[in-house]
Amino acid sequence: MTDQIISTSVLVIGTGGAGLRAAIELRQQGVDVLAVGKRRKYDAHTTLAAGGINAALGTMDPEDSWQQHAADTIKESYDLADPQIVEIMAKNAPEGIRELEAWGMPLAREADGRISQRFFGAHTYRRTCFAGDYTGLEIQRTLLHRAATLNVPIIDTVYISRLLVADNQIFGAYGFDIVDGSRVIIHADAVIMATGGHTRIWRQTTSRRDENTGDSFRLAALAGARLRDAELVQFHPSGILEPADAAGLLISEAARGEGGILRNALGERFMSRYDPERMELSTRDRVALAISTEISEGRGTPKGGVLLDLTHVSREVILTRLPRVYRNMLDVQMLDITKDPIEIAPTAHYSMGGIWVRPEDHGTDVVGLYAIGEASSGTHGANRLGGNSLAELLVYGRIVGAAAAQYSRNLGSQVRSTEAVETARDEIDRLLAGRGFDNVRSMQRAIRDLMSEHAGVIRNEEGLTKGLAKLAAVEARLPDLAVHPDIAGFDDLAHALDLLGSLMAARATIESALARKETRGAHNRSDYPELDPALRVNMVWSFADGVTQERVAETPPEIAKLMMSTDDSVVGKLLE
């Protein structure tokens, strides 16, 4: 089969919000761009973001400022966020909202026309803009419309299996069409990765099948980039347990904000043991830890969860304030939440770590390679502030698009490597030639099981070490892997490459979790229950060096002062 060759100035991998915003910027600057993705552009992960997008507009609370937004973000990160990245995000978020507004996004508004803003947990002021509980979906639609207006070329059936690098300089990517299996070499001056995270490697996850499998980690690491904070994963407190194909489906934290009560199998309202002041309105990491502790200590339900009880809340409130939760539970479980509690457990929700990037332009260690959105790192540290992920992707989508445009314009020459292309081609050939008896799904399930058992909300040295041993056993099964494309398409090949990404992401996560011998934010070590001030570092992972430590830059004094004066009250504040 002859490889098709495509050339472009900048290749964007990923067609969610981050990738689209970068592609739009490149097109607006008159630079040739191609965006590719492995799932349909209207079904990108961005569409699942419900709650809102942060920007210090001051429409509701005029005293808000980008400095306070930055202070709230760094404080919630447990001091592991990169202060410069956070400053850039907070300063530029209002411009992102103005762009969406200009491009026709139907943001919620007050009676006088102002953009509505509401509280999310851990925000000092109301700064979260929204469009009902479909904010991410509306952002994706708005960006797709803008991209179509600009005639941005998008191919949403291409799986990128390798980045192409020569002498530590990117020169494109290699992949195949998921529908017909045709191979493609894409030559590009620069490549922007907007490829998501790795939360699908846990059993309970808000990610859907075949997304966020860790393939972004593998692509970057094989190209010579480093990963940062792979161990820092945000577990949302409330994901449903069944049916199996919906396990991890999110129950919005607004359910607790509207009066939902958490009870264990004994009927106890257990949050009084963990945060007696804030109770169910505590921070996401604390509630997830509380639920996991109840389950691990034997007070969970027979199915391994706890109960979220809304039966005391009026039916009118539920139907007007929680319509999506009400409808979803009827659809997937035939459960009427006005009459029966919801069985939930923590669910892997967001990769706060990702590819190591520079603050100013999100460039990586590989010349010409950039990363944005959940594929990148540095914004969220050890706990993500609700509403920041959508702000981040808009801000850095624009900045990185401009940086890649400038890099392409200034590029005098580019070295290509036939060896790099042959390596990418041979990898797919070997997978397709495999005639073993082991299948991808069983190996993926083994990864998800071991990550859930040994690297979930609560971790310790013994469990993480056992997890590494089990991971090695899964890796040893790779020679027996069978890949069988058929008339329906080449999804099986895509699943096999997803598996390779999951294996590498799991290893980086466990090894980094072993190195972080403390409890900080979403990272809970039962054998090291206290935060260690000496570990205000990022864990950086690479094939060459394993895990190394990198000091976090100091927070500017004006931001640090605001962090000290932040009000932790939850009165009137709903959560994402």
Side-chain angles (χ1 to χ4, degrees):
M1 182 183 294
T2 303
D3 298 331
Q4 179 186 6
I5 298 177
I6 300 174
S7 294
T8 186
S9 295
V10 181
L11 171 65
V12 177
I13 308 174
T15 56
L20 288 174
R21 183 60 191 87
I24 287 167
E25 186 64 27
L26 285 155
R27 197 67 165 179
Q28 290 179 160
Q29 296 212 13
V31 174
D32 191 28
V33 60
L34 172 65
V36 301
K38 66 176 183 176
R39 67 183 306 131
R40 300 297 183 179
K41 59 190 176 184
Y42 291 101
D43 192 35
H45 191 67
T46 302
T47 63
L48 300 185
I53 176 171
N54 297 335
L57 300 178
T59 60
M60 308 298 288
D61 296 318
E63 58 270 48
D64 197 11
S65 64
W66 74 259
Q67 291 93 337
Q68 188 62 64
H69 185 185
D72 292 348
T73 299
I74 295 172
K75 182 175 182 178
E76 189 71 2
S77 81
Y78 289 77
D79 292 311
L80 291 190
D82 183 300
Q84 188 178 348
I85 290 178
V86 172
E87 176 178 332
I88 290 170
M89 185 268 295
K91 270 185 177 178
N92 290 278
E95 176 62 23
I97 298 297
R98 285 189 285 270
E99 287 174 343
L100 291 176
E101 188 178 15
W103 296 340
M105 181 171 166
L107 291 160
R109 294 182 180 273
E110 297 296 300
D112 60 4
R114 289 175 296 154
I115 292 175
S116 295
Q117 294 191 283
R118 61 187 177 194
F119 273 122
F120 268 4
H123 287 262
T124 302
Y125 300 110
R126 291 172 288 181
R127 68 168 66 97
T128 304
C129 309
F130 58 97
D133 56 357
Y134 291 98
T135 308
L137 177 61
E138 291 292 359
I139 288 176
Q140 184 74 4
R141 286 173 173 170
T142 300
L143 294 177
L144 280 170
H145 177 73
R146 179 64 177 170
T149 300
L150 295 170
N151 294 315
V152 174
I154 297 173
I155 307 174
D156 55 4
T157 58
V158 170
Y159 190 110
I160 297 298
S161 60
R162 288 272 181 150
L163 300 177
L164 299 176
V165 178
D167 298 333
N168 198 46
Q169 182 179 0
I170 202 82
F171 70 91
Y174 189 89
F176 63 95
D177 190 288
I178 293 174
V179 177
D180 63 18
S182 58
R183 312 281 185 87
V184 59
I185 299 170
I186 305 174
H187 288 141
D189 298 339
V191 173
I192 298 173
M193 294 186 65
T195 42
H198 69 313
T199 51
R200 186 66 190 173
I201 67 174
W202 281 268
R203 188 167 54 236
Q204 289 280 118
T205 173
T206 57
S207 293
R208 298 164 299 182
R209 197 167 179 167
D210 307 327
E211 66 181 11
N212 291 324
T213 56
D215 44 324
S216 58
F217 285 22
R218 181 173 185 266
L219 285 171
L222 287 174
R226 295 175 293 161
L227 307 178
R228 173 168 53 191
D229 295 337
E231 80 282 10
L232 299 180
V233 177
Q234 187 170 66
F235 287 83
H236 195 287
S238 48
I240 65 173
L241 298 176
E242 56 182 8
D245 62 352
L249 178 72
L250 206 61
I251 302 299
S252 170
E253 284 180 309
R256 301 202 312 275
E258 296 295 342
I261 291 173
L262 291 171
R263 302 187 190 278
N264 60 25
L266 304 177
E268 299 171 326
R269 188 178 181 182
F270 57 84
M271 280 307 300
S272 59
R273 286 197 278 270
Y274 304 94
D275 194 339
E277 180 183 351
R278 295 185 288 187
M279 298 291 281
E280 282 82 9
L281 291 184
S282 185
T283 57
R284 187 175 286 177
D285 57 314
R286 288 195 184 187
V287 179
L289 175 60
I291 294 172
S292 295
T293 301
E294 291 295 305
I295 295 168
S296 66
E297 293 183 355
R299 294 184 293 277
T301 63
K303 294 175 184 175
V306 298
L307 300 174
L308 174 58
D309 188 2
L310 289 152
T311 58
H312 57 286
V313 179
S314 76
R315 186 179 185 85
E316 180 183 3
V317 168
I318 286 176
L319 293 179
T320 56
R321 306 282 289 185
L322 301 170
R324 197 176 192 180
V325 175
Y326 179 78
R327 184 177 65 252
N328 282 345
M329 292 312 299
L330 278 177
D331 288 345
V332 300
Q333 290 185 2
M334 286 298 291
L335 181 78
D336 184 346
I337 64 173
T338 67
K339 299 177 180 178
D340 297 295
I342 310 168
E343 197 168 1
I344 62 165
T347 178
H349 182 50
Y350 193 89
S351 301
M352 294 179 291
I355 302 164
W356 184 96
V357 290
R358 295 186 296 267
E360 62 272 19
D361 64 356
H362 270 30
T364 70
D365 302 298
V366 181
V367 179
L369 178 64
Y370 303 83
I372 49 178
E374 199 170 353
S376 66
S377 63
T379 304
H380 310 292
N383 205 43
R384 179 175 68 93
L385 195 66
N388 268 355
S389 55
L390 293 176
E392 174 195 23
L393 66 83
L394 283 179
V395 168
Y396 272 105
R398 177 172 58 82
I399 289 172
V400 172
Q406 187 67 22
Y407 172 80
S408 177
R409 290 191 190 100
N410 294 337
L411 188 63
S413 63
Q414 185 183 57
V415 177
R416 294 177 182 171
S417 165
T418 55
E419 182 182 355
V421 175
E422 284 299 321
T423 298
R425 184 182 292 123
D426 289 348
E427 177 178 62
I428 292 181
D429 287 342
R430 285 196 308 273
L431 287 170
L432 291 174
R435 291 293 179 265
F437 298 97
D438 215 337
N439 68 78
V440 171
R441 290 304 188 193
S442 69
M443 295 171 75
Q444 279 279 19
R445 190 177 304 114
I447 296 170
R448 297 176 72 193
D449 286 345
L450 74 88
M451 291 300 292
S452 298
E453 183 177 355
H454 301 297
V457 176
I458 302 174
R459 304 161 174 178
N460 58 53
E461 185 101 12
E462 181 183 4
L464 291 167
T465 303
K466 286 181 179 178
L468 273 182
K470 290 181 179 180
L471 188 64
V474 179
E475 291 168 338
R477 293 165 56 185
L478 284 175
D480 294 324
L481 181 62
V483 177
H484 301 294
D486 56 27
I487 195 171
F490 280 70
D491 286 340
D492 207 32
L493 177 59
H495 297 160
L497 288 158
D498 282 345
L499 170 67
L500 298 179
S502 295
L503 285 166
M504 205 217 73
R507 179 166 292 281
T509 300
I510 295 176
E511 290 180 357
S512 298
L514 277 166
R516 186 169 291 285
K517 299 180 186 298
E518 66 165 348
T519 289
R520 186 186 291 260
H523 176 73
N524 297 287
R525 285 286 299 261
S526 59
D527 47 348
Y528 293 96
E530 302 299 325
L531 184 148
D532 184 352
L535 284 177
R536 186 176 174 264
V537 298
N538 299 125
M539 299 298 170
V540 179
W541 187 96
S542 67
F543 278 122
D545 301 319
V547 180
T548 59
Q549 296 182 8
E550 185 175 85
R551 295 296 304 178
V552 180
E554 291 302 316
T555 302
E558 64 170 334
I559 305 299
K561 183 178 180 180
L562 288 171
M563 289 167 61
M564 295 295 292
S565 61
T566 299
D567 175 19
D568 287 330
S569 169
V570 298
V571 176
K573 300 181 182 182
L574 293 180
L575 303 171
E576 181 185 31

